[in-house]
Amino acid sequence: MENSFVQYIKENIDLINAEMQDILKMYNLLIQEQTDNKDKCFNAFVEASDGGKRIRAVLVKLGYEIFGGQDVQNIVTPAVVFEIIQTGLLIHDDIIDKSLTRRNKPAVQIALGGDHHAMSNAICLGDFAFLISNLVIIKSNFNEEYKTRALEIFNNAIFNTIIGQLQDIDFEKNKPQTEEEILRMNINKTAYYTIIGPLQVGASLAGVKNERLLVLEKFGKLAGIMFQIQDDILGIFGDEKTIGKPITSDIKEGKSTILSMHTLKKLNENQKKEFKKIYGNNENVTIKNVESIKNFMIETGALDYAKEKMEDYYSQSKSIIPEITKSEEKIKLLEDFLNYLIKREK
């Protein structure tokens, strides 16, 4: 039997993609009216937005429906803001990480030429995403009070995401980090804009007020950590074609994760030196180096530890679902959402 959340994505993805195309087309035309030869530039943004799983937009709609929202046609418009903002965040993230590819395509700054001019345009495109997202919510067809609350939630989610990005950048310079610090960064950088924000925006547009929104935050923090641990595992142990980026990326970056933290904690001094020669070397990481890092993570028990932590956060987040809804159908959707996150391969 197919996972009900996967089925829910399939039922909604065409509607979401069509709405997103319409919104981006409209803003592309507005940009062309104001600037010369920028259609190619914004088209790079449109292309970068193509191919996502649309989890965030789907969660906005699900959050709306869980709390009794009936206007399923109009909710699609504000739902797509999390897909638009994700594109903007990923553009900036690829510049920060010096990533060359995203979703099996050239990263936007590379697609635009790879030089300083291209990077400048890419930064501006990321900025556009923040502006467009807010305008889409403002212009959506919902009660003004509900929209104001949704805007506050949306911007709070992105505020936390930027804080998480700053923590991540700082972590790369100041190793080692504690597990608590890494988990806090995961909540900020991933959980808020991936799970908490989308569910809360949907719920707020259904008229939900602060007290009930707190349960969604609690659920989203736990599920978001689980999501990020799986993401970190896939970043090193996943299939390159499936995940859509080189498996050397996280190693080159020296990404601070539960995996790297636990590995370093268990290695002896000589092994630590060997690990650090590879992990965080942004220039030259070979497939042989990747295998060495994998072996370190397996032999120290870091991979098993990360999987155990992921299962623990899965159980904790699942236990909160009955606090969110009493509907058997919606409980199943949320449970299958967690199953989808923990079993995903990209």
Side-chain angles (χ1 to χ4, degrees):
M1 186 176 176
E2 187 174 42
N3 178 301
S4 66
F5 184 74
V6 172
Q7 184 60 40
Y8 190 73
I9 292 174
K10 288 179 179 178
E11 289 168 1
N12 289 284
I13 196 165
D14 288 344
L15 199 60
I16 289 163
N17 284 334
E19 184 67 15
M20 191 164 175
Q21 281 181 348
D22 287 346
I23 288 169
L24 293 180
K25 183 179 179 181
M26 179 184 71
Y27 281 100
N28 198 359
L29 290 171
L30 289 173
I31 289 165
Q32 287 179 53
E33 288 175 5
Q34 300 294 326
T35 58
D36 295 326
N37 299 319
K38 288 298 177 187
D39 54 331
K40 178 186 174 184
C41 179
F42 197 77
N43 282 337
F45 183 94
V46 175
E47 203 157 308
S49 302
D50 189 37
K53 298 180 286 292
R54 308 305 187 217
I55 294 172
R56 294 162 183 83
V58 165
L59 287 180
V60 175
K61 187 170 182 286
L62 179 57
Y64 179 72
E65 292 175 342
I66 284 172
F67 293 97
Q70 299 293 318
D71 194 349
V72 293
Q73 191 69 32
N74 278 319
I75 192 59
V76 177
T77 301
V80 302
V81 300
F82 281 96
E83 302 300 331
I84 293 170
I85 199 65
Q86 188 198 22
T87 301
L89 291 167
L90 292 179
I91 289 171
H92 285 172
D93 197 49
D94 287 340
I95 292 169
I96 292 166
D97 295 342
K98 300 179 182 177
S99 297
L100 303 181
T101 59
R102 173 69 65 175
R103 293 174 178 166
N104 291 316
K105 295 181 287 192
V108 168
Q109 78 274 15
I110 302 303
L112 292 173
D115 56 8
H116 178 74
H117 183 262
M119 196 172 295
S120 300
N121 276 324
I123 290 168
C124 290
L125 289 175
D127 293 342
F128 266 129
F130 291 83
L131 172 67
I132 291 169
S133 300
N134 275 277
L135 288 174
V136 169
I137 295 174
I138 289 167
K139 293 179 180 181
S140 65
N141 191 24
F142 283 91
N143 173 292
E144 291 299 323
E145 180 190 344
Y146 297 174
K147 285 196 292 187
T148 300
R149 191 179 301 128
L151 273 169
E152 185 178 350
I153 290 166
F154 173 75
N155 283 287
N156 181 65
I158 305 311
F159 174 83
N160 279 286
T161 305
I162 295 168
I163 293 294
Q165 182 69 283
L166 289 170
Q167 290 171 324
D168 197 15
I169 292 166
D170 193 45
F171 283 178
E172 291 168 30
K173 292 182 179 179
N174 302 297
K175 293 181 179 178
Q177 289 77 45
T178 65
E179 183 171 321
E180 183 183 353
E181 288 172 326
I182 290 169
L183 294 179
R184 193 182 307 126
M185 184 264 289
N186 289 346
I187 289 170
N188 285 328
K189 188 176 176 181
T190 302
Y192 270 97
Y193 97 99
T194 301
I195 302 171
I196 299 169
L199 284 172
Q200 286 188 332
V201 163
S204 67
L205 291 171
V208 173
K209 296 194 176 177
N210 294 337
E211 298 78 16
R212 298 183 76 191
L213 295 175
L214 292 175
V215 180
L216 294 175
E217 184 174 32
K218 187 177 171 186
F219 170 80
K221 282 181 178 180
L222 296 167
I225 293 172
M226 182 190 80
F227 176 94
Q228 188 58 54
I229 294 173
Q230 175 70 336
D231 205 58
D232 294 336
I233 291 171
L234 291 173
I236 293 176
F237 291 90
D239 176 73
E240 195 167 281
K241 288 183 180 178
T242 304
I243 63 175
K245 66 176 185 176
I247 54 171
T248 56
S249 292
D250 289 357
I251 296 171
K252 281 184 177 181
E253 181 190 334
K255 191 173 181 183
S256 296
T257 67
I258 293 293
L259 281 167
S260 64
M261 179 276 301
H262 192 80
T263 302
L264 281 166
K265 193 162 72 171
K266 295 293 182 178
L267 294 175
N268 62 41
E269 288 307 311
N270 287 333
Q271 290 172 322
K272 280 181 186 176
K273 286 178 186 176
E274 191 179 342
F275 183 88
K276 288 178 179 180
K277 276 183 188 176
I278 302 169
Y279 205 79
N281 177 359
N282 216 322
E283 299 304 320
N284 301 300
V285 175
T286 65
I287 296 302
K288 186 178 178 182
N289 292 150
V290 173
E291 290 306 313
S292 295
I293 294 298
K294 284 182 179 179
N295 288 335
F296 277 131
M297 290 179 170
I298 292 168
E299 289 166 9
T300 57
L303 179 60
D304 287 339
Y305 180 77
K307 288 180 177 178
E308 286 169 12
K309 294 295 290 185
M310 191 166 61
E311 290 286 349
D312 180 44
Y313 283 105
Y314 169 83
S315 298
Q316 288 186 59
S317 53
K318 187 176 179 180
S319 70
I320 293 169
I321 292 174
E323 297 178 40
I324 298 172
T325 178
K326 302 303 179 188
S327 162
E328 290 185 14
E329 179 194 358
K330 298 300 190 297
I331 287 172
K332 182 73 166 66
L333 267 171
L334 288 170
E335 288 178 346
D336 277 356
F337 164 61
L338 295 178
N339 292 330
Y340 171 79
L341 292 186
I342 203 168
K343 292 174 182 176
R344 69 195 176 92
E345 296 180 352
K346 62 179 179 178

